């Protein structure tokens, strides 16, 4: 699985979309839970996109997010 930080909006979201189009399993991480949910709803069921709400300045939150991405 590929983890994209800042994946809910803008350039990060464009990277997520391109990776999904290429068949990759992607986890998108962003700090705003509402943005994460909205971004994930933009992909069809079965796309393999996993959304994770975490602030990259919080080391423990990032560790939890990486663990979640690895097991999802």
């Amino acid at each position: 699985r590929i983890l994209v930080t800042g994946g809910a909006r803008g350039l990060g979201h464009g990277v997520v979309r391109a990776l999904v189009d290429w068949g990759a399993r992607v986890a998108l991480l962003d700090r705003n839970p509402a943005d994460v949910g909205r971004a994930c709803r933009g992909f069809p069921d079965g796309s393999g996109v996993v959304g994770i709400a975490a602030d990259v300045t919080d080391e423990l939150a990032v560790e939890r997010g990486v663990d979640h991405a690895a097991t999802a």
Side-chain angles (χ1 to χ4, degrees):
R1 183 168 305 272
I2 299 169
L3 177 65
V4 178
T5 59
R9 296 178 293 131
L11 183 59
H13 189 69
V15 170
V16 171
R17 184 154 304 281
L19 290 167
V20 169
D21 288 347
W22 292 333
R25 292 175 46 222
V26 180
L28 69 85
L29 185 144
D30 212 292
R31 66 182 174 182
N32 184 311
D35 289 345
V36 170
R38 192 171 19 262
C40 287
R41 285 190 298 275
F43 293 96
D45 290 341
S47 65
V49 174
V50 173
I52 301 164
D55 185 337
V56 297
T57 65
D58 180 342
E59 186 176 341
L60 184 57
V62 172
E63 286 181 26
R64 286 186 196 134
V66 169
D67 288 344
H68 180 72
T71 59

